[in-house]
Amino acid sequence: MNATTTLYLARKIITMNPQQALARAVAVRDGRILGVGDPESLRGWGPCTTDDRFRDKVLMPGLVEGHSHLLEGGMWDFVYVGYHDRRGPDGCRWAGLKSFDEVVARLKEFESTISDPAQPLLAWGFDPIFFGVERMTTLHLDRVSTRRPVLVMHASAHLMNVNSFTLAHSGIDAATPIDGITRNADGNPSGELQEFAAMFLVFSAVGNLYFDAGQSERGIRNFGRVAQLAGVTTATDLVNDLGEDSIGNLRKVTADPGYPLRLVPALAPLRVLQGDPMARLLEARSHNTDKLHFGLVKLIIDGSIQGFTARLRWPGYYNGSPNGLWLVPPRQLKDIVLAYHRAGLQVHIHTNGDEASEVALDAIEQALAEHPRWDHRHTLQHCQMADAAMFRRMASLGVCVNLFCNHIYYWGDAHYALTMGPDRANRIDAAGTAQRLGVPYAIHSDAPITPIGPLFTAWCAVNRLTSSGRVLGESEKISVADALRAITLGAAYTLKLDHLIGSIEVGKYADFTVLDDDPLAVPAETLKDVPIWGTVLGGRVFEAPKL
Ligand SMILES: [Zn+2]
């Protein structure tokens, strides 16, 4: 018997394995779970070191964030101008800004600290939906600077505002023939750019510094820090170009034993401007390790609901806004899905509006008709407006769903009053329906769109409270136990990693989230406040720094 076995004793272990849902001890050897149960039976494995530092803690399977972006790690290089307070990887809290003037004032303050006259000023997290009908224009951002590019990414990352200097520098004017360029009454661009075709004009002139920062070594490390503070042990990066630099940085950072995260980057084919994206993905898979998992494909087919760029079915937007934009035309989507489906790959499709979800299901159905395949686990990401009929289709097609439950809190009031109206807002992110109809589901933050924090996301799915305190859709609430499953085994299933992570079960990686309190025992309204002591990844303990 070797002495490298560690026996962890805890106040309670929530395993997610129904065979023994609760336990008091878990034995770990070689980074994997050797056994779970009572200490006596585990000692049958031979000599071990007993570690009782968790004796008053509660252990869960390591939390899995099935929809996040490395951008979350990169964004902290830039100025946060969001409405809600937000905490960065250094623990610093940035105060939320409650008016356009406050946004402009913070940008001016930072502008005055930049010495290089050519350096662009980048900001993120902005959301005009909280400021009534007024939209940000070049008039606001020209107050910040008329001599350097000023870019303000919206919280959704689907829209951006820029100053006049940036428009001119990017060659965007009244004659530029692109749909997402918002215009003033006189036909000139207002400075708001919707979706990637319009934003791309700016990125090709000044560079996509947001994206580059997220894929940099520093961005990946910051992301790990933010995720670990939230108790996450496995997280996705759902838009990656799998370029040489990006793969190199991912390999380097995840190979560091001190890096506290397993990463699942997904290829976004539309980000690959040269060469064959599928070949890149197949090649990337040869670099897979226990902390780095390539293999997912991510497609984005519509925009954001609160940005009014999502594609909605009849009756459309509650406030009468015109329908949103296709980022991939439906006809082309069928070909793309079929190609990756045929190659045996797993496709995750961003669909915010219900028209987009329907088109995605059509594409998957056609791919399955032409090329039957079992256990494909294609997944609809966000899928915020699906009705029960669509969930029945998902069940019959073997499609998984990952619901954006944080929206209920952050934008639920706006959805009720402006974007969807009461009927559809009450069934937003319908985890209850997914549960009842047997659709495999997860729930997510889409960080940096909202902060990464699976316990908060679980709280949203359980309580369905908006930021003003309204309950959206009583019948779509799920139990705490089901929500905890969605942020562990549920998310692992959508990533085809449920054989390795997601439960505390013999043979799986020894990944735990260590809590100061019992999420199954605290009142459901306080689930988001359960303190996270730290995590264990492959048997290595990572105590979260006390902030
Ligand atoms: Zn996303």
Side-chain angles (χ1 to χ4, degrees), residues 67 69 238 298 350 382 446 449:
H67 188 147
H69 299 273
L238 281 195
K298 167 78 177 306
H350 157 123
H382 303 328
D446 198 9
I449 311 308

Side-chain angles (χ1 to χ4, degrees), residues 491-510:
Y493 184 87
T494 65
L495 304 175
K496 279 202 176 182
L497 292 175
D498 55 307
H499 57 303
L500 297 174
I501 57 171
S503 61
I504 300 181
E505 200 172 334
V506 58
K508 290 195 178 182
Y509 294 140

